[in-house]
Structures are given as C-alpha cells and as structure tokens.
Amino acid sequence: MTTPSTYHLKAVAPKATPSRATFWSQLKASLAMFSNRKSATGLIILGVFVLVAIFAPVIAPYDPNAQHLDETLQPPSFTHLLGTTHIGQDVFSQLVYGTRGVLVVGFLATIMATVVAIVVGVTAGYLRGWKSESLSALSNVFLVLPALPLMIIVASQFQDPPLWLIAAVLGLTGWAWGARVLRAQTMSLRNRDFIQAARANGEPLHRIILVEMLPNLLAIIASSFVGTMTAAVLGLTTLAFIGVIPVSNLNWGTILFWAQQNNAFPDYWWWYVPAGLCIALLGVALALINFGIDEYVNPRLRSAGERARAMKRKGMNINAAVTQVRTAPESPTE
C-alpha cells in the first residue's frame, strides 16, 4: 500500500505594491529630455552666453560707452579684440555687455509668457463648457494679434522704457501659441486612468494639476519655453535695430543699429558681423535644445535617432540610398 503523498505548502511572498510616483520622481524622469547630444550641446552654448552675461564686468576690457576719439574705426587688434566704432568704443566690450541685455530681456519675457501659457492652457484644457471655450477664444485673439506692430506702439509710448517693460511687451505677445498646445495636451491627459483615479480618490484640484499633470506636460512646457525665448530674442533685436528701443539699452540689436546708421556695411565688418554671429549662435543653441526635446517626446524621432547613432558606430553611411550589409571578411584561400 502506497503512502499518501504529502503536499508541502510554500509560503508565497506577497507582491510588493508599486511605489506611487511622486512629483520629484516624475520631474527627474522628465528632465531626461536634456540627456541627448543635441540638447546637451545647446545647453552648453547657452550656458556660455549666461556666464558671459554674469561676468561681463570681468570679461569686458573697457567700459562699453567709453570713447577713444584717437582710435576710431580701428580693425581688430590686441588692444581692441573686435576693433572700435566710429567714436572709438570697444566693440568687444559692447558685445559682452549686450549679451546681458539680450538674456535678461529674453528670460524675463519667456518666463512671463510661459507662466501665462501654463495658467491659461492647462486651465482651459482641464475645465469644460463655456469656461474652457472662453479661455480658448482669448488665446485665439492673442494668437492673431500682429506682434511686431503692437510691440512698436507700446514701446514707443515711453521715453526710456525699462527692461522689465520691454520684457512684458514681448511676453504679452508670445504666450498664446504655448497655451494652445498645452490646452490640447491637457484635454488628452484629463481622460487618462491615473487622472480619473486621482479625481475618484478625492484629490484636490491643485494636486491633480501640480503632481499628476504638470510632470507629464514638462516636455511640452520646455519646448514652448525654448520657442518663446527664440521669438523674444529676435523681437528684442528687431526693435533695437529699427530704433524703437532707446540706444541706452545696450544689446546686440543696438550694435547693429549704430553700425547701420554710420554706414559700417560692408567695409567695417568687425562692427556688425560679431553681433550677427552671436544672434545666430544663440538661435542655433535654442534650436538644438528644441530638437533634442522633440526627439525625446516623439518616439518615432527617438527610435530613428538611436538607429542612426547605432549605424554610425558600425561605420555605416546613414544617407546611403541602398541599405548597406556588413559582411564578414573572406578567409584567405590556401
């Protein structure tokens, strides 16, 4: 007679409940958008400009407004690295101090525009009914406003407008596009399961927006921030170049204004080329950051970028019309 088989009961460990994502963990995951090469390169270039703006008194060898009438229109030399103007002002010193003016106005205008875009866009996307439609209509009104003429009219009403006023005008005309994008993305998020679960648990509205929604919108906000700053810098230099902003507000646009007023084109290239190159280089930096964010947000672009980098590491030409096949080298014939 066979003995009955005994059954050994194994203790099953309880499944570990997944830790709830906190605001800081979601923020850390969202900041991974700056880890690719494009964003890193753009941030490095932007960081150099920021350091130049902060340490302008240390970097600039001369007072940007100091006149040396015995050294007018001098080409670049060891004494004046980028030459002098028609009244002997050092162009390099003006360029360094002009960086501060551009970045201060650019960042102030972008911060103002981004805050308004977040408040209006996220609120319009989360709410329903006439409130959402009213905020959407407000965004549409500001979206179709002619930005440059409005900036000229407002800035020309003041004899010597301060930097914060110029930034406010630029921010007022630059928030609508970001608000539209955030509204569309928020309308997509508000029906997600985790938002519905938070609402069912009785979470307050401010926590749903700050903890659940904003970390998922961080890539869109960063992209909108970069695009708005690009528009703000171009708007500032345009206003300065056409003479709307007083020449006392030194920036790259005022350098180009004085060069154009004194017929520096094309003979005295050292007066206008460096300022133009700085505008272009700052635009390239912001564009690289934006491209890096797009590559992070868009899975198709991200996978294409990873595939291209893998092909480069293998020595394959990614621009070849015919797909290349790597073959093993033939063994020598005996």
Side-chain angles (χ1 to χ4, degrees):
M1 184 177 180
T2 60
T3 58
S5 60
T6 59
Y7 295 93
H8 300 280
L9 297 179
K10 295 182 180 180
V12 179
K15 294 183 179 180
T17 57
S19 58
R20 186 173 183 177
T22 62
F23 174 80
W24 297 111
S25 62
Q26 294 184 42
L27 179 63
K28 183 179 179 180
S30 299
L31 289 179
M33 72 183 86
F34 299 115
S35 61
N36 55 56
R37 292 182 180 178
K38 294 179 181 178
S39 294
T41 304
L43 287 174
I44 290 173
I45 299 174
L46 182 60
V48 171
F49 279 117
V50 171
L51 292 177
V52 169
I54 294 174
F55 298 103
V58 179
I59 298 173
Y62 301 97
D63 183 349
N65 296 317
Q67 301 179 10
H68 305 86
L69 298 179
D70 56 337
E71 298 178 343
T72 58
L73 296 176
Q74 295 294 315
S77 62
F78 289 106
T79 306
H80 300 281
L81 297 179
L82 292 178
T84 60
T85 67
H86 66 298
I87 54 177
Q89 295 171 325
D90 185 66
V91 176
F92 179 73
S93 300
Q94 289 189 338
L95 196 70
V96 170
Y97 276 92
T99 305
R100 175 179 292 183
V102 168
L103 292 186
V104 167
V105 174
F107 275 111
L108 284 178
T110 306
I111 291 172
M112 294 179 187
T114 303
V115 170
V116 176
I118 292 173
V119 173
V120 175
V122 176
T123 304
Y126 188 81
L127 299 177
R128 302 173 187 270
W130 66 270
K131 297 179 181 179
S132 175
E133 296 300 327
S134 300
L135 292 175
S136 178
L138 179 65
S139 301
N140 292 335
V141 169
F142 276 88
L143 195 61
V144 298
L145 282 179
L148 186 59
L150 180 62
M151 288 187 289
I152 293 174
I153 293 172
V154 175
S156 62
Q157 300 302 313
F158 297 88
Q159 185 68 25
D160 189 10
L163 291 180
W164 67 265
L165 179 61
I166 301 172
V169 173
L170 294 171
L172 181 66
T173 58
W175 63 268
W177 180 256
R180 291 284 298 173
V181 176
L182 287 173
R183 177 179 180 267
Q185 191 67 19
T186 305
M187 291 177 66
S188 174
L189 284 176
R190 72 185 181 187
N191 296 321
R192 300 286 180 87
D193 292 339
F194 64 94
I195 299 295
Q196 297 293 338
R199 189 183 294 116
N201 289 335
E203 299 286 354
L205 178 60
H206 70 274
R207 190 184 186 283
I208 293 177
I209 293 178
L210 293 177
V211 178
E212 303 293 345
M213 281 191 169
L214 279 186
N216 292 282
L217 295 172
L218 201 58
I220 306 297
I221 294 173
S223 180
S224 176
F225 186 94
V226 173
T228 305
M229 186 171 181
T230 304
V233 170
L234 292 177
L236 171 66
T237 53
T238 301
L239 290 175
F241 180 70
I242 63 179
V244 175
I245 297 177
V247 295
S248 58
N249 294 327
L250 186 62
N251 59 71
W252 298 334
T254 56
I255 296 175
L256 296 176
F257 169 79
W258 283 116
Q260 188 269 339
Q261 289 292 316
N262 293 277
N263 301 318
F265 305 93
D267 297 330
Y268 309 114
W269 59 267
W270 59 85
W271 195 349
Y272 57 87
V273 168
L277 288 178
C278 285
I279 296 173
L281 189 59
L282 181 58
V284 168
L286 296 174
L288 286 174
I289 297 173
N290 209 352
F291 291 157
I293 295 173
D294 288 341
E295 184 176 316
Y296 174 82
V297 174
N298 192 332
R300 183 174 298 177
L301 290 178
R302 185 167 63 247
S303 60
E306 292 174 354
R307 185 164 56 250
R309 286 189 289 270
M311 292 176 65
K312 285 183 178 180
R313 285 194 296 268
K314 294 179 180 179
M316 302 175 68
N317 184 11
I318 61 175
N319 297 319
V322 181
T323 304
Q324 300 179 9
V325 179
R326 291 177 60 89
T327 58
E330 298 180 358
S331 57
T333 56
E334 298 181 356

